[in-house]
Amino acid sequence: MKKKFAALFGLLTIFAVIAAGCGNAKGTATSGNGTKQESITAVGSTALQPLVQEAAAQYMNDHPGATINVQGGGSGTGLSKVAEGAVQIGNADVFAEEKDGIDASKITDHKVAVVGFAPVANQDIGVDNLTKQQLIGIFTGKIKNWKEVGGKDLKIVVINRAEGSGTRAVFEKQALDGATAVKAQEQDSSGTVQKIVNETPGAISYLAFSYINNKVKALKVDGVEPAEENVKTNKWKIWAYEHMYTKGKATGLTEKFIDYMLSDEVQKNLVPKLGYMPISEMQVERDAGGNVTTK
């Protein structure tokens, strides 16, 4: 009888251990030293990705029990994945209301920064400034050679972002007055676009300010320079909020990390360091319909 009782007690102990492990399976566990382990995933905008990755690295360094996985994939992916509940955070360059197939009422917006976008070209095109109509002509395929806009006798090679890209949506809406860019080579990543434009004679595309360096030429539009001081006043109109969406109210590590993104440590240091702007510095506001008002 005692042997049967001991065997039964052993089985119950095993079941208890398994149950305890299952209870910690949804992103939370406890390490051997008693530290609470939490894990979340943020997916979406590659324009926002460098900021989120750097902030996540800093946060994890200060909080050893936290794991924050950051992935790209584009704003459309970020919005759809967070709406499905597949990830905890969906990063986007656009308002959820602007994206077809997304029920914006089911997800919560957290604006964490502002980013400017600019047309960028290979360094050797011989042009520094385009009118808006010339820009539209290039991206809709009506203008095919740089000599048509005062540059070198060089074929224009348009590089697009893929469908679902928030960067592409912002650029087509604000730089091309809603026109759809010509069918051309498409890339999923801002980093890849930067590399291709740098290496391809005659290439033109568009990037967030955070990806613009001396490898590509940022072009003025109607004589206005793509600069932060011009974004803040809406003199440079190609800009967007950077959003981190959650399904419903943020909780747990998700809430803590978003609070960290909005903290002075990130907003006053990391945001400007990586080429973004704090929302607090904007002199205007823009809603999901594109309406701009002065603060």
Side-chain angles (χ1 to χ4, degrees):
M1 186 69 179
K2 287 181 179 179
K3 288 182 179 178
K4 288 182 179 180
F5 179 79
L8 179 60
F9 181 77
L11 285 171
L12 290 172
T13 302
I14 292 170
F15 287 139
V17 171
I18 293 171
C22 290
N24 286 327
K26 294 184 178 179
T28 303
T30 303
S31 67
N33 61 10
T35 303
K36 187 179 181 182
Q37 304 289 313
E38 291 184 276
S39 176
I40 61 172
T41 298
V43 171
S45 164
T46 60
L48 180 54
Q49 191 174 357
L51 176 60
V52 180
Q53 282 181 325
E54 189 68 26
Q58 289 186 182
Y59 187 90
M60 289 187 289
N61 185 60
D62 295 337
H63 302 82
T67 300
I68 302 168
N69 304 295
V70 183
Q71 303 168 18
S75 296
T77 297
L79 289 168
S80 62
K81 290 296 183 185
V82 77
E84 293 166 7
V87 299
Q88 289 73 37
I89 297 173
N91 297 326
D93 311 320
V94 294
F95 286 91
E97 290 87 344
E98 297 179 84
K99 203 70 183 170
D100 291 339
I102 300 295
D103 186 348
S105 68
K106 299 291 178 63
I107 54 179
T108 302
D109 186 9
H110 309 270
K111 299 183 188 72
V112 296
V114 168
V115 67
F117 296 90
V120 295
N122 184 271
Q123 291 281 8
D124 296 325
I125 60 168
V127 172
D128 295 311
N129 176 72
L130 294 170
T131 68
K132 192 171 192 179
Q133 289 308 308
Q134 286 173 335
L135 188 68
I136 293 171
I138 287 171
F139 276 94
T140 55
K142 295 174 183 174
I143 297 174
K144 302 181 184 297
N145 192 299
W146 285 108
K147 70 180 180 181
E148 297 178 59
V149 292
K152 294 183 178 179
D153 184 3
L154 189 63
K155 180 185 176 183
I156 294 173
V157 180
V158 173
I159 311 295
N160 263 327
R161 290 298 307 277
E163 290 287 347
S165 161
T167 298
R168 177 170 177 169
V170 170
F171 190 78
E172 288 185 343
K173 183 175 182 178
Q174 297 169 11
L176 306 184
D177 288 347
T180 300
V182 67
K183 290 286 185 183
Q185 180 182 164
E186 294 185 354
Q187 295 295 330
D188 289 328
S189 163
S190 297
T192 304
V193 167
Q194 181 200 72
K195 184 175 187 296
I196 292 172
V197 171
N198 173 48
E199 296 174 352
T200 306
I204 185 170
S205 190
Y206 39 90
L207 287 170
F209 285 6
S210 49
Y211 279 91
I212 296 174
N213 55 23
N214 59 10
K215 294 181 179 180
V216 294
K217 181 195 292 284
L219 300 173
K220 297 176 184 177
V221 178
D222 289 330
V224 179
E225 185 178 353
E228 289 185 5
E229 58 266 29
N230 292 329
V231 169
K232 292 172 186 178
T233 61
N234 199 47
K235 186 176 181 181
W236 180 265
K237 295 177 171 56
I238 315 170
W239 61 270
Y241 293 109
E242 293 292 17
H243 311 258
M244 296 176 76
Y245 278 94
T246 58
K247 190 167 186 178
K249 184 180 183 296
T251 59
L253 178 56
T254 303
E255 181 181 22
K256 293 172 188 174
F257 181 54
I258 290 175
D259 286 346
Y260 179 69
M261 291 290 299
L262 296 171
S263 70
D264 285 349
E265 184 174 352
V266 173
Q267 292 293 311
K268 292 185 177 179
N269 298 308
L270 206 54
V271 166
K273 175 186 171 185
L274 294 179
Y276 305 83
M277 290 165 279
I279 294 169
S280 59
E281 293 186 5
M282 293 296 290
Q283 297 174 31
V284 296
E285 292 178 328
R286 180 186 282 151
D287 63 20
N291 303 301
V292 176
T293 54
T294 303
K295 282 188 176 181

